[in-house]
Amino acid sequence: MMKWLDMPPVWLAGALVLAWVQRTYLPMGLSFGPVWADLLGGLLVGGGLLLMALAIHEMRSKRTTVVPHRIPDALVTTGIFSRTRNPIYLGDSMILAGMILYWDAVLALALVPIFVWVIENRFILPEEARLRRKFVAQFARYAQQVRRWV
């Protein structure tokens, strides 16, 4: 049960709850401004969802797992993975930033780098270690050609 709670969507949901609480109970009179923050927030959320959908589609087409704690059956380097090694996590971060903008939760912006740090240390680094062990030379070439985030 605890293994399923330690998943990126749970961390994202927790960060979103914290941002919503800040917006609702501790606004402190700070604001991004009504129109541009809503527009940029919506674009970030939409872009994040699109990145995630493209990545999941690509991983499914290669018949490998999308579950972070599992050993992958294939190293996916095509599609969106040719631009970023972690499009799903990038999408998560974009959704968090977008919702913070949309909710006008100025103080919660600090959650974005914290979330990125948690995701990188809890998920990305262990995943890359598994990929490095299983796809030695192929992953080394891929890691040299494609950045971890953007």
Side-chain angles (χ1 to χ4, degrees):
M1 178 66 174
M2 288 305 290
K3 187 167 84 171
W4 287 105
L5 288 177
D6 187 24
M7 297 293 276
V10 175
W11 285 93
L12 176 59
L16 288 169
V17 166
L18 289 173
W20 180 85
V21 166
Q22 186 270 298
R23 169 218 172 225
T24 304
Y25 298 107
L26 300 165
M28 301 182 74
L30 301 172
S31 176
F32 294 118
V35 177
W36 77 267
D38 289 353
L39 176 64
L40 183 56
L43 288 172
L44 282 170
V45 170
L49 291 171
L50 179 62
L51 273 177
M52 293 167 81
L54 290 171
I56 291 168
H57 172 73
E58 197 69 24
M59 292 175 86
R60 293 282 187 222
S61 72
K62 303 291 189 219
R63 290 189 159 81
T64 192
T65 184
V66 297
V67 179
H69 300 299
R70 293 195 180 150
I71 296 173
D73 295 317
L75 177 64
V76 182
T77 61
T78 56
I80 193 63
F81 287 92
S82 67
R83 303 278 183 212
T84 173
R85 294 197 315 251
N86 297 287
I88 295 174
Y89 300 139
L90 180 58
D92 287 338
S93 302
M94 290 171 64
I95 290 168
L96 177 59
M99 291 306 298
I100 288 170
L101 288 172
Y102 181 76
W103 285 333
D104 213 14
V106 176
L107 296 176
L109 272 178
L111 291 172
V112 176
I114 293 168
F115 177 78
V116 167
W117 182 85
V118 168
I119 291 300
E120 189 162 312
N121 286 283
R122 296 273 323 136
F123 301 101
I124 292 174
L125 294 178
E127 282 177 22
E128 287 185 351
R130 283 189 293 277
L131 291 169
R132 197 170 278 112
R133 281 192 301 274
K134 186 165 183 175
F135 306 102
V136 181
Q138 190 181 4
F139 182 78
R141 278 191 306 276
Y142 177 59
Q144 284 181 332
Q145 295 170 349
V146 179
R147 292 179 180 211
R148 182 176 286 155
W149 287 97
V150 187

